[in-house]
DNA sequence: ACACAATGATACAATTAGTACAATATTAGG
DNA sequence: CCTAATATTGTACTAATTGTATCATTGTGT
């Protein structure tokens, strides 16, 4: 039995609905290898209990992931990460995870009152610092 | 769930519209620490009932506060004080907070296996999207 | 009387919760 | 072993709670 612990961090005050948070966090865990093809996910009820949400909320997230062919849900059996996630799906997932990460960063910065110009300038800046630090190794 | 009582004093004879009074009183309660980031506000209907006003009036106040990023409203779920309210900080602190935020973003992206090139491209990309969305207003 | 802003009424949409059900797996009796 | 009862799992449908959108009404200033 290889049921993953699957620790998710929900923000109940977020603009984002719970079910989309579940979807995107599972996606990103798959994108960066925390979850692997074949892994069994917790049951809708188990995960719901842990996250303190209604199991239909988890079921809705699972359904979305199922429709995206990322997981396979089987009534009476459980849910599993798809064995052969089409390469273009994983590629797409990877892309999407960066999109989301970047969006979160930008909206956070905007909320803090920074302008687009300041943000892009700072990103250039810190990327340069990062690059220099790496080159010196 | 810590739904605040949120006692507001309205003056129905004031020149100031009800919704303005709601807005400014919530703002001042936040400034005074009576309300804190993450606090859930009463539902538009509950507060309206208590204040003996139409719930659309409360909704209007909430919408204004939402646009000012002071609260976060989510259809079907509720209304919350924004977790990270726009800080009126000094220029230096402000600068440092963007540095911190950017560093966290970059290292997270690097950890996920993205290259500097991909990161800067994506930031440009999402900033453009953000800008366009804003321009449309 | 008119124009405009504020408020109210009504219908709508999104999210989550509740309940009953169907498919599959597991276990108990023989 | 085989079969039937039971448990476990996801599904479907519905209800309740929330904020949103639109238009009507009211009231005030000119």
């Amino acid at each position: 039995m290889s049921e993953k612990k699957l620790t998710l961090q929900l923000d109940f005050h977020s603009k984002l609905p719970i079910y989309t948070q579940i979807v995107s966090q599972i996606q990103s865990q798959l994108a960066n290898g925390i979850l692997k093809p074949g892994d069994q996910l917790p049951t809708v009820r188990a995960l719901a209990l842990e996250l303190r949400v209604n199991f239909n909320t988890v079921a809705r997230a699972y359904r979305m992931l199922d429709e995206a062919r990322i997981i396979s849900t089987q009534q009476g059996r459980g849910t599993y990460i798809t064995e052969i996630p089409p390469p273009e799906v994983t590629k797409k997932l990877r892309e999407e995870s960066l999109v989301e990460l970047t969006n979160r960063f930008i909206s956070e910065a905007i909320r803090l009152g920074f302008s687009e110009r300041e943000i892009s300038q700072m990103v250039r800046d810190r990327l340069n610092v990062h690059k220099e630090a790496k080159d010196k190794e």
Side-chain angles (χ1 to χ4, degrees), chain A:
Chain A
M1 257 177 306
S2 56
E3 289 149 33
K4 276 291 163 58
K5 179 67 193 318
L6 194 61
T7 43
L8 304 184
Q9 292 300 324
L10 298 185
D11 176 3
F12 289 97
H13 304 157
S14 167
K15 294 290 246 188
L16 298 153
I18 305 298
Y19 69 89
T20 60
Q21 292 184 47
I22 296 172
V23 167
S24 64
Q25 290 194 33
I26 289 176
Q27 281 182 328
S28 85
Q29 294 204 8
L30 176 59
N32 67 49
I34 295 170
L35 289 172
K36 294 185 178 54
D39 281 352
Q40 178 168 21
L41 296 175
T43 68
V44 289
R45 285 170 177 84
L47 184 54
L49 191 66
E50 187 181 315
L51 300 178
R52 318 286 219 119
V53 297
N54 187 277
F55 72 86
N56 278 303
T57 303
V58 176
R60 181 168 178 179
Y62 279 9
R63 179 153 43 85
M64 293 180 73
L65 289 163
D66 186 72
E67 284 164 1
R69 312 279 182 181
I70 289 164
I71 66 178
S72 162
T73 62
Q74 296 155 38
Q75 186 169 346
R77 297 193 2 102
T79 70
Y80 303 84
I81 303 286
T82 308
E83 279 297 351
I84 26 135
E88 76 274 8
V89 167
T90 51
K91 186 167 184 292
K92 195 151 195 99
L93 272 183
R94 186 170 177 275
E95 182 78 2
E96 282 171 3
S97 89
L98 182 56
V99 170
E100 288 192 5
L101 185 63
T102 307
N103 279 338
R104 279 202 299 275
F105 161 66
I106 290 177
S107 54
E108 187 98 341
I110 295 282
R111 257 202 321 191
L112 289 171
F114 295 100
S115 67
E116 283 91 349
R117 185 179 193 81
E118 285 176 300
I119 295 168
S120 69
Q121 179 61 52
M122 182 59 71
V123 170
R124 269 196 298 278
D125 206 44
R126 305 315 297 173
L127 275 175
N128 272 336
V129 170
H130 188 275
K131 191 170 193 308
E132 283 164 15
K134 201 180 59 180
D135 289 346
K136 210 178 294 185
E137 290 173 3

